[in-house]
């Protein structure tokens, strides 16, 4: 398990209160041995003018998942992380319902982490695939 064992989803969801995560309706739904999962509604807040899920909303979901997952692997008394780079390939449009993102580590190093985030439609089709690189920084003591 790469995440703390006693971590509750309510704790993670409360971190996003009154932020973009909260505004877009992103909700963390599952913590696995080596993955973190969240959902996001496809609604007026997350759609673009043609009625499709906005690509930027996909990236917000991906960055939220990757950043929170990386943070959960750190000693929060000594370290924090910031995003260095993110990319996303939008593979299938979504018009309604929810999407589900799953973040899994590719590399958990001392100075950087790389996470892959796969975003699925309600029917299980891969809608977007993203990769984020996080820089691990030391807090000034």
């Amino acid at each position: 398990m790469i995440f703390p064992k006693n971590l509750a989803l309510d704790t993670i969801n409360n971190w996003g209160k009154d932020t973009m995560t909260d505004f877009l309706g992103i909700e963390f739904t599952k913590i696995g041995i080596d993955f973190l999962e969240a959902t996001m509604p496809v609604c007026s807040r997350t759609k673009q003018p043609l009625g499709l899920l906005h690509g930027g909303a996909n990236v917000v979901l991906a960055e939220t998942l990757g950043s929170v997952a990386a943070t959960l692997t750190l000693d929060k008394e000594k370290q924090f992380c910031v995003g260095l780079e993110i990319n996303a390939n939008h593979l299938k449009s979504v018009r309604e319902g929810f999407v589900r993102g799953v973040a899994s580590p590719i590399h958990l190093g001392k100075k950087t982490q790389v996470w892959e985030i796969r975003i699925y439609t309600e029917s299980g089709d891969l809608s977007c695939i993203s990769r984020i690189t996080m820089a691990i920084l030391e807090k000034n003591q």
Side-chain angles (χ1 to χ4, degrees):
M1 180 106 173
I2 62 173
F3 304 121
K5 292 180 182 177
N6 59 349
L7 186 63
L9 288 170
D10 286 344
T11 300
I12 300 171
N13 282 313
N14 284 333
W15 290 346
K17 190 165 174 56
D18 297 325
T19 67
M20 181 184 287
T21 302
D22 191 23
F23 177 75
L24 294 183
I26 295 171
E27 182 180 352
F28 291 92
T29 55
K30 192 181 289 185
I31 304 168
I33 293 173
D34 64 348
F35 70 90
L36 185 62
E37 182 178 295
T39 60
M40 181 177 65
V42 180
C43 62
S44 61
R45 296 181 316 251
T46 59
K47 287 182 180 180
Q48 44 98 311
L50 294 177
L52 304 172
L53 178 62
H54 195 293
N58 270 339
V59 175
V60 171
L61 176 58
E63 180 141 8
T64 300
L65 274 161
S67 295
V68 170
T71 296
L72 293 174
T73 68
L74 303 178
D75 178 345
K76 287 182 271 319
E77 299 295 318
K78 298 178 182 177
Q79 300 169 305
F80 66 102
C81 60
V82 295
L84 284 179
E85 189 271 342
I86 189 166
N87 67 49
N89 296 103
H90 308 289
L91 307 173
K92 182 177 180 84
S93 62
V94 184
R95 291 186 177 275
E96 60 187 13
F98 281 81
V99 289
R100 177 179 57 91
V102 181
S104 302
I106 295 172
H107 168 72
L108 298 176
K110 292 180 181 178
K111 301 285 185 186
T112 62
Q113 292 187 9
V114 178
W115 290 80
E116 177 183 79
I117 301 92
R118 291 177 173 255
I119 300 174
Y120 299 93
T121 66
E122 281 187 292
S123 62
D125 294 327
L126 185 61
S127 170
C128 177
I129 188 164
S130 180
R131 189 182 65 230
I132 189 169
T133 303
M134 303 298 298
I136 310 304
L137 304 172
E138 299 296 322
K139 288 185 176 180
N140 294 332
Q141 301 295 332

